[in-house]
Amino acid sequence: YINNSIDISKKYFKKIVPILILYILYSIPAILYRAHIKEIETSIPLWISLIFKFKGNRYSWYIDLYIGLFLLIPFLNRMYNTLNSKKEKQTLIFILIMLTSMVPLVNGKIIKQFYLPTYWTSIYPLTYFFVGKYIKDFQPQIKTHLNVIYLLLIIIIQGSIEYYVASGEVYKHFFTDYTSILRLIQGCLIFTLLYKANIKNEFMHKHITNISMLTLDIYLASFITDRIVYKEILKGFTFT
């Protein structure tokens, strides 16, 4: 959505450098923490290797993903912009959804003998990217109360399915992977609910803007706190 007009230029590609620096800065404390709790060995060569493999900070999978998408964005924009009509853009998104987001829902679950190709599911970031571009182009409108109802309905459906599949055991990520059509719909509904919000309160506007600029920092930094907090929460549960 926000990268809709990005084109091929040296200035754009240079913007990857601050992201890589940010990744390294948050990987170092994550690695030190993991070494402290004896999850990994205290070995500088190992630590360097983990950084290069995007495994030092367990949340750095997003950086691993984003680097490729970042480099492709100017070319993806040019490709998308050559499509001549709304119908062609809808066809592109439909095909991507069938190749990525529908696979976890359909394969072996609805009709056991029916399977969609699974080889392309890993390109799901392109599905999200082009859906964002479509929203930017056509500005779809959903009445707020209906948007909220649809969102709650999808959450209830997904939660019910996950609860049923787990059957009192460990959570299985049955339909909550990022490739899931339910997760894609949730993302679209949340985005369409908020993307035209007009925050008139200057104090709120300023702080929400500041937080939005730090979302990547917050996500990478949360690895350590999540490990600590989840460990304490899980103490209250027993698993068989």
Side-chain angles (χ1 to χ4, degrees), residues 9 145 185:
S9 68
H145 71 283
I185 293 172

Side-chain angles (χ1 to χ4, degrees), residues 28-46:
I28 292 171
I31 287 171
L32 292 174
Y33 170 76
R34 293 176 65 194
H36 173 71
I37 63 172
K38 310 300 182 183
E39 184 178 300
I40 59 174
E41 296 178 6
T42 302
S43 166
I44 292 179
L46 172 64

Side-chain angles (χ1 to χ4, degrees), residues 228-237:
I228 296 171
V229 172
Y230 292 165
K231 183 178 180 180
E232 292 302 315
I233 291 175
L234 289 173
K235 285 180 180 179
F237 294 87

